[in-house]
Amino acid sequence: MLSFRHLAQPTTRWMLTASRRGPLSRTRRARQSEKCTFATVAEDAFRIPIIDFSKYRNASNAAEKEQTAKEVVRGFTDVGFIYLSNHGIPQETVQQVFQKSAEFFSMSNEKKTALAWRDPRANRGFVQVGRERVTQSADAEEIKELREKAPDYKESMEIGRDWDKTYRNYWPEEQDAPGFKRTMTSFFQTCHDLHVLVMRSIALGLRLEESFFDGKIHEQYHNLRLLSYPPIKTELLRGDGQARAGAHSDYGTLTLLFQDSVGGLEVQNPHTGQYQPATPIPGTIVINAGDLLARWSNDVLRSTLHRVVAPPARAINEREGMTPARQSIAFFCNPNQGAEIACLPTCLVPGGQPRYPPVTTEEYIVGRLKATYM
C-alpha cells in the first residue's frame, strides 16, 4: 500500500511507503490552515484532471503559482496524467504541425525508408509499421517474440535536437515535404519551453526551489515523435495482445501529447487494472509523467501504463470493419543526457532509503530503446 503526506511548510517532507505501482489507499484530503494532505485517488474517482495553466503562466504572486503547482503535482500523484488547458501554444501552431506530419507520412515508402531509424543512442528517423513493439518488458528476446506475434500498427518519425554534433536528424528533401524541417525545429523549441514551465510548477509542488530542474533539462535532450496510425482491418487487431500501441509507460520526465479527434488513447486505473479512455479535449495537451520522473520522485509521481486502441470501425461487410486513420504528436521530455536521476530530498522519508539506485538519463533511455527496437 502506498500513502504519502505533504505539509505546506518548506522544511517538511513527503511521507512515503510503497510497493511499486501497487494498489493504492482511498483518497483522503484534508486542508487545515497551511497543511495539505495528499493521498491516492479512490477507485471510483479515477479521472484525468483538467488544469488551467494560465493561472501559473500569468500568476501575479507566489501564492497563485503555488496553487496551480499543487494541482499539477496532485494530478501526477493520483493519476499520472493531466489535461493542460491554456498552455500558451496557439492552436494554429498545433494544426500546422499536424498538417506537415500528414504530408510527411503521405510520402512514398521508398523515400521514408531512406530516412530509417538506425541507432538507439541517436533515436532519430523513420520507424515503419511493426518495427517498434512498446511494452513494459526490458527483455530483448521477449520483445522480439511480442513484435512477431503482435506488432504495433503505427509508423513514426523521430526528431531530436537539430544542433546535436554527434547525432543528426534525418530530414526529407525540401521538395518532398516543403516546410517540414522548419516547422518541426520550431515546434521542438516551443515544446521545450512549455516543458520548462511545467517542470518549474512540479518543483514548486514538491517544495523545491522553482528553478530546481532548470539546469538539469536545459540541454534539450528530447524526442519529438510524429505518429501515424494507418487505417486497418479489424481482423488484424483481434489477436491476443494486438493493439495500435501496446501497454507501456514512457521513459523520460514528461510526455506532451497532442491528439487528433479520433481518439484511442487509454490510461490504466492502477486500482482495478482496467483501462479508460483519455478522450481528446480540444485545446488541451495530455501530459503524463514518465519513468525517470517517477524515479526522481521516489514514486511520489506516478508513471502510469497507457496504450492506444482502435476506435470504432466502419463496417465494410458483415464480418469485417475498417478502423479510421489516426494522428498524434508526442514530445518526450528528458533530463540532460548525463543528468544523474537520484531521489529528490523532499520525496524521502527521514531516515528512509531511496527505492531506486541513481541512473543517468542516457543509461536508462538508451537501454530501454535497445530492447524495444533491436
Side-chain angles (χ1 to χ4, degrees), residues 176-191:
D176 294 329
F180 180 82
K181 178 179 179 179
R182 181 178 65 254
T183 298
M184 298 308 163
T185 53
S186 175
F187 192 63
F188 190 100
Q189 184 64 51
T190 296
C191 289

Side-chain angles (χ1 to χ4, degrees), residues 212-227:
F212 178 87
F213 293 110
D214 285 9
K216 301 171 179 60
I217 59 175
H218 70 283
E219 293 177 0
Q220 303 191 31
Y221 188 62
H222 311 314
N223 174 240
L224 173 61
R225 171 177 291 185
L226 312 178
L227 286 148

Side-chain angles (χ1 to χ4, degrees), residues 168-293:
R168 65 181 182 87
N169 284 316
Y170 301 125
W171 297 112
E173 296 294 332
E174 180 66 18
Q175 64 267 25
D176 294 329
F180 180 82
K181 178 179 179 179
R182 181 178 65 254
T183 298
M184 298 308 163
T185 53
S186 175
F187 192 63
F188 190 100
Q189 184 64 51
T190 296
C191 289
H192 169 73
D193 293 343
L194 177 58
H195 168 234
V196 171
L197 289 181
V198 178
M199 290 299 289
R200 287 176 180 172
S201 72
I202 290 172
L204 280 181
L206 293 177
R207 295 304 170 190
L208 300 164
E209 291 293 329
E210 185 178 14
S211 61
F212 178 87
F213 293 110
D214 285 9
K216 301 171 179 60
I217 59 175
H218 70 283
E219 293 177 0
Q220 303 191 31
Y221 188 62
H222 311 314
N223 174 240
L224 173 61
R225 171 177 291 185
L226 312 178
L227 286 148
S228 173
Y229 299 82
I232 183 172
K233 290 183 177 180
T234 53
E235 178 184 3
L236 295 174
L237 293 173
R238 290 184 186 133
D240 182 33
Q242 294 283 16
R244 279 184 155 180
H248 64 285
S249 60
D250 294 339
Y251 305 154
T253 51
L254 299 173
T255 301
L256 314 183
L257 181 67
F258 303 82
Q259 302 190 80
D260 66 7
S261 61
V262 173
L265 175 66
E266 293 186 341
V267 177
Q268 187 186 58
N269 183 331
H271 313 287
T272 65
Q274 300 298 309
Y275 284 86
Q276 62 187 62
T279 305
I281 300 177
T284 67
I285 305 172
V286 174
I287 302 183
N288 62 282
D291 294 347
L292 287 180
L293 189 55

Side-chain angles (χ1 to χ4, degrees), residues 62-322:
E64 291 181 2
K65 279 192 170 185
E66 288 176 2
Q67 180 58 43
T68 303
K70 289 178 182 178
E71 293 178 14
V72 170
V73 165
R74 186 180 295 117
F76 291 136
T77 296
D78 289 348
V79 182
F81 275 72
I82 62 174
Y83 289 101
L84 208 67
S85 66
N86 297 316
H87 41 73
I89 301 179
Q91 189 60 26
E92 295 78 9
T93 298
V94 177
Q95 291 171 347
Q96 174 74 358
V97 176
F98 270 102
Q99 178 183 332
K100 294 302 176 183
S101 177
E103 291 172 4
F104 172 83
F105 288 113
S106 69
M107 290 167 45
S108 69
N109 283 331
E110 180 182 8
K111 290 181 177 179
K112 288 186 292 188
T113 54
L115 308 172
W117 187 100
R118 296 176 176 87
D119 188 337
R121 294 168 299 175
N123 194 25
R124 288 160 164 80
F126 172 70
V127 180
Q128 65 186 6
V129 172
R131 173 78 187 277
E132 182 185 26
R133 179 48 162 95
V134 291
T135 172
Q136 283 305 94
S137 174
D139 183 281
E141 287 303 314
E142 181 180 353
I143 294 173
K144 180 181 178 181
E145 292 178 8
L146 285 171
R147 186 186 299 114
E148 292 172 352
K149 176 183 177 182
D152 288 348
Y153 284 100
K154 67 178 187 298
E155 56 184 345
S156 67
M157 181 60 173
E158 316 290 331
I159 300 168
R161 52 189 182 184
D162 201 45
W163 61 89
D164 194 298
K165 295 180 179 180
T166 304
Y167 302 108
R168 65 181 182 87
N169 284 316
Y170 301 125
W171 297 112
E173 296 294 332
E174 180 66 18
Q175 64 267 25
D176 294 329
F180 180 82
K181 178 179 179 179
R182 181 178 65 254
T183 298
M184 298 308 163
T185 53
S186 175
F187 192 63
F188 190 100
Q189 184 64 51
T190 296
C191 289
H192 169 73
D193 293 343
L194 177 58
H195 168 234
V196 171
L197 289 181
V198 178
M199 290 299 289
R200 287 176 180 172
S201 72
I202 290 172
L204 280 181
L206 293 177
R207 295 304 170 190
L208 300 164
E209 291 293 329
E210 185 178 14
S211 61
F212 178 87
F213 293 110
D214 285 9
K216 301 171 179 60
I217 59 175
H218 70 283
E219 293 177 0
Q220 303 191 31
Y221 188 62
H222 311 314
N223 174 240
L224 173 61
R225 171 177 291 185
L226 312 178
L227 286 148
S228 173
Y229 299 82
I232 183 172
K233 290 183 177 180
T234 53
E235 178 184 3
L236 295 174
L237 293 173
R238 290 184 186 133
D240 182 33
Q242 294 283 16
R244 279 184 155 180
H248 64 285
S249 60
D250 294 339
Y251 305 154
T253 51
L254 299 173
T255 301
L256 314 183
L257 181 67
F258 303 82
Q259 302 190 80
D260 66 7
S261 61
V262 173
L265 175 66
E266 293 186 341
V267 177
Q268 187 186 58
N269 183 331
H271 313 287
T272 65
Q274 300 298 309
Y275 284 86
Q276 62 187 62
T279 305
I281 300 177
T284 67
I285 305 172
V286 174
I287 302 183
N288 62 282
D291 294 347
L292 287 180
L293 189 55
R295 291 176 70 113
W296 230 340
S297 68
N298 216 30
D299 282 341
V300 168
L301 307 182
R302 179 187 300 280
S303 181
T304 302
L305 289 177
H306 52 283
R307 67 186 184 186
V308 178
V309 298
R314 175 180 57 84
I316 55 178
N317 58 46
E318 291 183 356
R319 297 190 306 172
E320 185 61 276
M322 180 72 76

